[in-house]
Amino acid sequence: MFGSFKIGSILGITIRVHVLLVVLLALFAFGGSRSTAEVISLALLFPILLLHELGHCLVARKFGLGVLDITLWPLGGMARMTNMPESGRVEGWVAVAGPAVNFVLAALIIPVWMLALMMDERSDLTSILWYALWINIVLGVFNLIPAFPTDGGRILRAIFSRSVDWERATERAVFVGRIFAVLIGVVGLALGNWVAPLLAGWLWWMGALELAQVRDRHRVREQEVPEPQANAFSHAPFDGDFPLRAKRRFTDEDIERLERHRGRLRPFGDGP
Ligand SMILES: [Zn+2]
């Protein structure tokens, strides 16, 4: 992705961070009087996002897909994989894995947070754990919204693909996704969130992009099927002027030529 740089690799998967994310994080950390707990809480978002993406990637690998890299950027994480097949089963499981990681993390954090709460309600640790719990629940739930191409949207396409072909399933998932994208934008705006309409626009655009890709791929595939040889006569664009049709009568020369070659012509049907 343009503007991103490598920060390391986990299990052979390159991890990249987008410059914009670093800038936003620095602005947050140094822009105002932030407490250490606030900065740590925000910084926690990235390992959590990374684990979400790793969930997708490891399941994808189980299905034999190649994982190129994971990029963290302001709108979340993005994993690039090779040769994702048009299979509802594969895509469904790969999509489910991300939110599943968040719910497992939330379930692991709850007892630790409750313990911290009992020890000291107002400690930094309690608020950091609360924030980590909240991030995981929000990420898990938000990604399950079927606003294709979110994880939920991909799960929906996987469900649709059980009854219709991949192109039709994508069209349906994109249609449902647009309804949810508009809802996210409108509800967000009503709540005073200006990022929501941007996110809605981005989801709409990404859905349209993926639909166009699927349609393109299917068009190419249809063209690869060999067409029966076209009949030159049935496709003649001319009418009266077409040379073969214009010659309505045999000339004496034609008859002479036919007679000369008769000996070499094979009779139909009952030869040789
Ligand atoms: Zn995901």
Side-chain angles (χ1 to χ4, degrees):
M1 189 193 247
F2 180 75
S4 68
F5 57 91
K6 183 181 169 174
I7 54 161
S9 69
I10 297 172
L11 301 166
I13 300 166
T14 302
I15 312 298
R16 308 179 71 88
V17 170
H18 200 273
V19 173
L20 213 56
L21 188 66
V22 180
V23 172
L24 286 175
L25 196 61
L27 280 176
F28 179 84
F30 305 110
S33 50
R34 307 283 180 194
S35 69
T36 314
E38 278 179 319
V39 175
I40 292 174
S41 295
L42 188 78
L44 266 178
L45 183 61
F46 306 106
I48 292 171
L49 274 173
L50 188 61
L51 287 171
H52 173 107
E53 294 304 321
L54 276 173
H56 288 309
C57 292
L58 295 181
V59 172
R61 266 196 187 168
K62 281 268 173 237
F63 283 108
L65 303 184
V67 177
L68 293 174
D69 56 14
I70 293 172
T71 305
L72 299 174
W73 69 305
L75 280 178
M78 192 185 286
R80 291 196 300 169
M81 295 164 197
T82 57
N83 53 47
M84 173 62 94
E86 292 188 351
S87 155
R89 196 174 71 93
V90 174
E91 194 183 51
W93 282 114
V94 171
V96 160
V101 166
N102 292 119
F103 293 127
V104 168
L105 285 174
L108 292 173
I109 291 167
I110 286 172
V112 186
W113 167 66
M114 286 172 88
L115 203 68
L117 200 66
M118 280 192 288
M119 281 158 65
D120 183 0
E121 210 175 302
R122 289 161 180 269
S123 72
D124 279 351
L125 183 66
T126 309
S127 60
I128 290 169
L129 284 168
W130 166 249
Y131 186 76
L133 179 62
W134 184 76
I135 289 177
N136 275 300
I137 291 170
V138 168
L139 272 179
V141 170
F142 182 81
N143 279 291
L144 284 179
I145 295 175
F148 190 86
T150 57
D151 297 336
R154 294 190 182 282
I155 294 165
L156 191 66
R157 172 162 75 175
I159 294 167
F160 283 145
S161 76
R162 295 170 76 161
S163 50
V164 291
D165 68 58
W166 198 251
E167 196 177 345
R168 224 56 64 216
T170 307
E171 282 168 1
R172 288 184 189 180
V174 167
F175 176 75
V176 174
R178 283 175 177 173
I179 295 170
F180 276 92
V182 169
L183 277 174
I184 289 168
V186 170
V187 171
L189 208 58
L191 296 172
N193 186 335
W194 290 92
V195 181
L198 284 176
L199 186 66
W202 182 76
L203 286 170
W204 186 293
W205 181 62
M206 291 299 282
L209 208 68
E210 182 141 352
L211 179 59
Q213 278 172 0
V214 170
R215 281 179 173 158
D216 264 10
R217 209 158 55 215
H218 281 250
R219 205 151 300 134
V220 168
R221 230 173 262 173
E222 276 161 26
Q223 281 165 1
E224 278 168 2
V225 176
E227 250 184 86
Q229 279 299 306
N231 181 339
F233 293 96
S234 65
H235 287 252
F238 309 104
D239 194 29
D241 293 327
F242 197 63
L244 285 169
R245 290 181 66 175
K247 202 172 185 175
R248 296 211 170 101
R249 213 185 285 159
F250 285 116
T251 59
D252 290 343
E253 201 189 338
D254 290 328
I255 293 165
E256 196 191 22
R257 199 164 59 224
L258 272 171
E259 282 177 344
R260 237 192 297 132
H261 289 281
R262 194 186 274 162
R264 283 196 263 151
L265 292 173
R266 277 186 180 188
F268 286 102
D270 54 356

